[in-house]
Amino acid sequence: MFNLEKFSGMFAKKGLERVCIDNDTYDDCSLVMVDSANRHGILLEVVQVLTDLDLVISKAYISSDGGWFMDVFHVTDQLGNKLTDQRIIDYIQQALGAKRGASATEVRTCLGRTVGVQSIGEHTAIEMTGTDRPGLLSEISAVLTNLNCNVVAAEVWTHNMRVACVVYITDELTSRPIEEPDRLAAIKEQLSNVLKGTDDRRGVKTDFSMGLTHTERRLHQMMFADRDYEGPGTSSLGEDGRPIITIENCSEKGYSVVTIHSKDRPKLLFDTVCTLTDMQYVVFHASINSSGAFALQEYYIRHMDGCTLDTDGEKQRVIKCLEAAIERRVSEGLRLELCTGDRVGLLSDITRIFRENGLSVTRADVTTRGDKAVNVFYVTDTSGNPVDMKIVEAMRKEIGHTILQVKNVPSSPKSYPIDTSEKS
C-alpha cells in the first residue's frame, strides 16, 4: 500500500520540486507522484499534462494544505498499459519537475497523437460562441475557405443549444498566420454574421486569441462565460440524466466538501479540476476513485479569499457549473472518423456533405498530422435523433469508404451508445 505521508516527507525535507514515476508498487498501474511548492492552479497544470498524454487516471490523492503540494496519481495509458515508454516518462518529468519551462521534446501518445511545445507564431486562432444550429460548422468553414484561409485544426463543443469552437487558420498561399488588421476585421465580421441566429438572445462572440492557449481549457472557459450551465442539461450520465453532485460544509476543518458521483470517462478529472480552478476555488485535499464504469470524486475546497461556500445560491451555481463541465464532453451521436490527404477547403467540403444529407455535428475534433487530415465528428440528424445508416453509407460512397470510417455502430437502428472515449 502506498504511503502518501512517507512520500511527502521524503521530498519536503529536501525542499525539492520532484516528479517520480513508480512502476514497482502496483502490477496494474504506474504511480505518478508530484511534490512541489504550492501555488494556485498547480493541480490543474499536473492533471492537464497527464490527460494531454492520453493517460487514464483511475485514482488520485491530493494534498496541498500549507505551502507544499503533494499528490499521487494511479495511471495507465488508454490501452491499459503501465508507463514504460521512457520518452513519456521523460516528458512528464520535464513538464512538471524542477526543469519546468525548458523546451519539452515532442512525444507520441498511445493513441498516435503528438504532444509537445507548439510555436505561438504558427497560426491565427479564432474563438467563437453562439447559438448552435444544424449546418453551422459547414457555414463557418465555407466562409473561411472563401476568405482564402486554411483550417489547420479546430475543436467544436455543443451543449444546451450553445456552441463554442476554437479554429486555427493560416493563409492559403503562404501557410503563415494572418496578421493584417483589415483582413482580420473582415474575417471577424463575416464569422459574426454567420453566428447570428434568428433567436440569439445571448448574442454571439468572435475573437482572435493572443498567444498559445490550451484548447480544451479555453472551450470550458468560453462556455462558462456564455453561461451554458443555465440550460436544462442534456447528458445521459445517470438515471435522471445528470451526475450526482453534493456540497456540504465541514465547519471544524473550514472546508466545503464537493462530492461527485458520475460515469467514468477519459479526462473527467481534468474537466472538474479545470472548472473549480477557473471559478477561483482552491482544492486543498481531494481523492478520486473509479470503479468499473463509475467514478467518485471528493474535493475539499475554499474560495481564493479563504471563504467556504456558505449560501445555497453559491452551492447551486457550483453544482450547475460542474454538471455542465461533465456534460460538454459527452458526445451523443454517431462517431465518424475521416483520414485523408490534407488540402485547403477539405473541412468545408466534408461538412457541406454532412449538411446536404441532413446531419448535424454535435462535436468535432479537426487535426492535421503531417500531410494528413485526421478528423473526428459526432453527428445526429437535424432533430438530434440517430442518423439513418443508409444515409451514412451513401455519404461514405461519395467520400470514400476507406476515407470515412464509422465507429460505435448501433446494434439497434433506433439508437446508438453515448461515446465518452477520447480515442482520436
Side-chain angles (χ1 to χ4, degrees):
M1 181 63 66
F2 177 76
N3 188 319
L4 178 60
E5 293 182 0
K6 180 179 178 181
F7 166 72
S8 303
M10 186 167 60
F11 294 136
K13 290 179 181 179
K14 300 178 182 180
L16 299 175
E17 190 173 68
R18 290 288 301 271
V19 178
C20 179
I21 314 294
D22 175 9
N23 275 316
D24 298 326
T25 301
Y26 294 99
D27 294 331
D28 58 348
C29 70
S30 301
L31 296 181
V32 177
M33 301 171 282
V34 182
D35 190 67
S36 72
N38 191 22
R39 56 183 168 78
H40 182 62
I42 188 171
L43 175 59
L44 176 59
E45 182 179 324
V46 173
V47 172
Q48 180 175 300
V49 168
L50 297 179
T51 54
D52 282 350
L53 291 169
D54 293 324
L55 301 180
V56 176
I57 301 171
S58 57
K59 293 182 181 179
Y61 305 96
I62 291 128
S63 178
S64 60
D65 208 346
W68 211 250
F69 171 83
M70 298 154 287
D71 55 352
V72 179
F73 300 90
H74 294 230
V75 304
T76 64
D77 65 22
Q78 288 202 27
L79 304 178
N81 302 314
K82 297 168 73 170
L83 306 187
T84 57
D85 187 334
Q86 190 60 45
R87 291 168 297 181
I88 296 288
I89 294 174
D90 291 343
Y91 182 90
I92 294 171
Q93 292 176 329
Q94 191 171 22
L96 299 175
K99 296 182 180 180
R100 181 191 288 115
S103 296
T105 304
E106 287 188 344
V107 294
R108 188 174 295 275
T109 75
C110 65
L111 302 183
R113 296 192 311 109
T114 300
V115 178
V117 173
Q118 192 174 29
S119 170
I120 293 174
E122 290 179 349
H123 48 244
T124 301
I126 310 172
E127 300 177 349
M128 294 168 275
T129 55
T131 298
D132 187 32
R133 66 176 186 271
L136 180 59
L137 180 58
S138 173
E139 295 176 46
I140 289 172
S141 54
V143 164
L144 292 173
T145 299
N146 290 337
L147 292 171
N148 301 315
C149 302
N150 181 38
V151 177
V152 178
E155 192 152 357
V156 181
W157 288 1
T158 61
H159 180 242
N160 283 345
M161 299 303 297
R162 303 298 291 175
V163 62
C165 58
V166 179
V167 182
Y168 299 93
I169 63 171
T170 58
D171 178 76
E172 176 184 340
L173 296 178
T174 67
S175 298
R176 297 291 301 163
I178 298 170
E179 299 175 340
E180 301 86 350
D182 291 346
R183 189 174 178 191
L184 291 175
I187 293 171
K188 181 175 180 176
E189 180 182 7
Q190 292 201 33
L191 289 176
S192 296
N193 289 336
V194 167
L195 284 167
K196 290 176 183 176
T198 56
D199 184 25
D200 199 334
R201 284 166 286 185
R202 292 192 197 173
V204 302
K205 190 171 183 180
T206 305
D207 282 315
F208 299 97
S209 65
M210 305 304 294
L212 193 62
T213 60
H214 187 270
T215 304
E216 293 177 345
R217 185 174 184 185
R218 279 299 298 145
L219 287 166
H220 276 303
Q221 292 171 337
M222 291 160 61
M223 299 206 90
F224 172 74
D226 193 57
R227 305 191 311 279
D228 72 315
Y229 55 84
E230 294 179 351
T234 57
S235 148
S236 302
L237 295 174
E239 291 182 0
D240 62 350
R242 293 189 179 185
I244 300 171
I245 303 175
T246 60
I247 301 177
E248 302 290 341
N249 282 345
C250 180
S251 55
E252 63 271 18
K253 297 290 186 180
Y255 299 122
S256 292
V257 184
V258 180
T259 305
I260 306 172
H261 297 261
S262 68
K263 280 190 175 181
D264 193 24
R265 60 166 172 77
K267 301 192 178 183
L268 176 65
L269 179 59
F270 170 83
D271 294 338
T272 53
V273 171
C274 180
T275 300
L276 291 172
T277 302
D278 286 337
M279 292 184 74
Q280 303 300 304
Y281 292 102
V282 179
V283 176
F284 289 89
H285 303 279
S287 64
I288 286 83
N289 187 18
S290 61
S291 177
F294 295 91
L296 171 63
Q297 303 177 72
E298 189 173 65
Y299 300 94
Y300 291 75
I301 69 170
R302 297 186 194 127
H303 198 270
M304 282 192 68
D305 61 11
C307 296
T308 55
L309 285 71
D310 295 325
T311 67
D312 288 341
E314 185 177 13
K315 291 178 182 178
Q316 286 303 310
R317 183 170 181 267
V318 171
I319 289 172
K320 283 182 174 291
C321 290
L322 288 171
E323 286 175 347
I326 293 171
E327 291 171 359
R328 288 170 193 146
R329 203 189 290 272
V330 176
S331 305
E332 296 193 38
L334 188 68
R335 179 181 172 114
L336 301 178
E337 297 183 0
L338 180 139
C339 182
T340 188
D342 189 33
R343 60 175 173 80
V344 175
L346 175 64
L347 181 62
S348 177
D349 291 343
I350 295 300
T351 53
R352 173 184 52 78
I353 293 172
F354 290 171
R355 176 169 52 84
E356 290 174 349
N357 282 275
L359 303 190
S360 180
V361 177
T362 62
R363 185 174 158 213
D365 185 3
V366 177
T367 58
T368 305
R369 300 177 188 171
D371 61 351
K372 292 286 186 182
V374 182
N375 303 341
V376 176
F377 303 95
Y378 292 87
V379 297
T380 64
D381 70 12
T382 55
S383 300
N385 297 317
V387 178
D388 186 336
M389 293 305 294
K390 293 181 180 178
I391 294 177
V392 174
E393 285 306 309
M395 287 194 313
R396 293 186 67 205
K397 184 177 180 180
E398 178 179 356
I399 296 170
H401 284 81
T402 59
I403 294 174
L404 186 65
Q405 300 286 327
V406 182
K407 303 296 179 180
N408 69 324
V409 180
S411 55
S412 165
K414 295 182 179 180
S415 64
Y416 26 68
I418 294 174
D419 191 338
T420 58
S421 72
E422 294 298 322
K423 297 181 179 180
S424 58

